[in-house]
Amino acid sequence: REEVEVSGRPGHPRAPCVADAHICKAPACKLWCASVRTKRSLTQKAEKMTPRLNRQQSSAADMTPEPSRFALCCMQPILNPERDNEFYELLGLDRGASSAQIKKAYRKISLQQHPDKLRQQGREVTAEDRARFVRTKEAYECLGDARRRKVYDHLGELGLKLTENPGTVGQDDVMRTMSHMTETTRCAILLVVLAFVGFFGVLFPVLLSTNVDGETDVPWAVVFLPVWVVDALLLVNHVGFVLEYFTHDHGGGDDDDDAPFREV
């Protein structure tokens, strides 16, 4: 049986009672004990539901499709021209760090930077301290997930945001990243755009219309060549998806229970 202390009530400055047996016979105390039991029951139900909701949100995030290796290789020079390493630098690691090293580094940094630890040391927690810890936590949440880490290694933080939640990406971020592209990448983008416009805006409509009217005798295989090129690219992309599915480890993910200090 669990004791409940009722304090601050008229005539009962500190009235102990047993919630099950109602040793305290005062009506006000009985009513207060009933409200305490109800509140505790609701709290326990909420605590039980929280992990379930977290698991559902985590599973929903895992269902987000990741770009194929072909798409990552094509988009890397555009979205990550400078090889973004900020998350690794926040944890003091290099790109070859293992999952265990990432967890160990985050645990060590958390013990040093967490606002609660700073308060225990007698230091005043500033906005910069909170922002630095939140940033470190974001780095761990990214690198601790194999799927998100793969996207980050190829496309950087901008590419990670674009694949997960494009609405959070600002125009300034995109322009800043594209301004760091090399001249080779810019020339390649220009050539791809010109080829696309030339194929589908000029060559394909002209050849299709002249062949239908009988003015030319171009083989239909040549007429539909631009469409076949696009189909070939899509086929390569889908084959990459299938190969990655069979080569990817579909085992259960690591338990995140040992990740310290979830909240600021």
Side-chain angles (χ1 to χ4, degrees):
R1 294 185 301 178
E2 189 176 2
E3 291 190 358
V4 182
E5 292 186 352
V6 183
S7 60
R9 301 196 62 81
H12 297 274
R14 192 173 184 81
C17 66
V18 179
D20 294 334
H22 296 294
I23 291 179
C24 182
K25 300 300 182 180
C29 188
K30 287 184 178 182
L31 181 61
W32 184 258
C33 290
S35 65
V36 169
R37 289 199 304 272
T38 303
K39 183 177 180 181
R40 180 177 296 129
S41 177
L42 294 175
T43 302
Q44 292 174 351
K45 290 181 180 179
E47 291 175 352
K48 291 179 180 179
M49 284 295 296
T50 300
R52 188 183 308 171
L53 293 174
N54 290 338
R55 287 195 299 269
Q56 292 175 353
Q57 294 172 357
S58 177
S59 61
D62 293 339
M63 292 175 61
T64 304
E66 64 177 90
S68 65
R69 189 177 298 275
F70 176 75
L72 292 176
C73 292
C74 292
M75 298 302 295
Q76 179 176 343
I78 301 175
L79 299 178
N80 192 20
E82 296 185 319
R83 300 286 289 176
D84 186 6
N85 287 320
E86 182 182 0
F87 284 171
Y88 289 99
E89 293 173 356
L90 287 171
L91 298 178
L93 301 171
D94 55 19
R95 285 181 172 265
S98 63
S99 178
Q101 291 175 331
I102 293 174
K103 289 183 179 180
K104 183 178 180 181
Y106 176 66
R107 185 179 294 109
K108 180 180 178 181
I109 294 176
S110 296
L111 293 174
Q112 299 173 353
Q113 296 183 357
H114 195 277
D116 291 344
K117 292 295 181 180
L118 297 179
R119 293 191 192 96
Q120 292 176 4
Q121 298 172 5
R123 294 176 52 186
E124 181 180 356
V125 180
T126 63
E128 294 180 358
D129 295 331
R130 291 181 178 275
R132 182 172 63 252
F133 178 75
V134 170
R135 192 65 177 161
T136 304
K137 185 171 179 290
E138 291 177 355
Y140 171 73
E141 290 176 348
C142 173
L143 302 182
D145 186 291
R147 182 185 63 82
R148 301 185 70 201
R149 181 181 180 182
K150 175 184 175 182
V151 177
Y152 175 79
D153 287 345
H154 285 83
L155 305 182
E157 187 178 4
L158 177 62
L160 184 65
K161 291 180 179 179
L162 286 174
T163 56
E164 294 182 348
N165 190 5
T168 61
V169 179
Q171 182 179 0
D172 295 339
D173 297 334
V174 177
M175 298 303 297
R176 188 183 307 110
T177 301
M178 296 185 68
S179 65
H180 293 99
M181 289 191 306
T182 62
E183 294 183 358
T184 303
T185 303
R186 296 177 183 177
C187 292
I189 294 175
L190 179 61
L191 291 177
V192 169
V193 172
L194 292 177
F196 183 85
V197 174
F199 274 129
F200 291 96
V202 179
L203 181 62
F204 180 68
V206 170
L207 291 179
L208 181 62
S209 59
T210 55
N211 256 27
V212 170
D213 293 339
E215 298 179 2
T216 58
D217 192 16
V218 180
W220 287 104
V222 177
V223 174
F224 286 96
L225 182 61
V227 180
W228 289 2
V229 171
V230 175
D231 290 341
L233 294 176
L234 293 176
L235 179 62
V236 171
N237 188 52
H238 284 73
V239 170
F241 270 122
V242 174
L243 293 178
E244 288 181 10
Y245 176 82
F246 286 106
T247 58
H248 182 68
D249 183 14
H250 295 283
D254 297 336
D255 270 336
D256 227 11
D257 296 337
D258 57 344
F261 307 122
R262 294 239 169 237
E263 299 178 359
V264 181

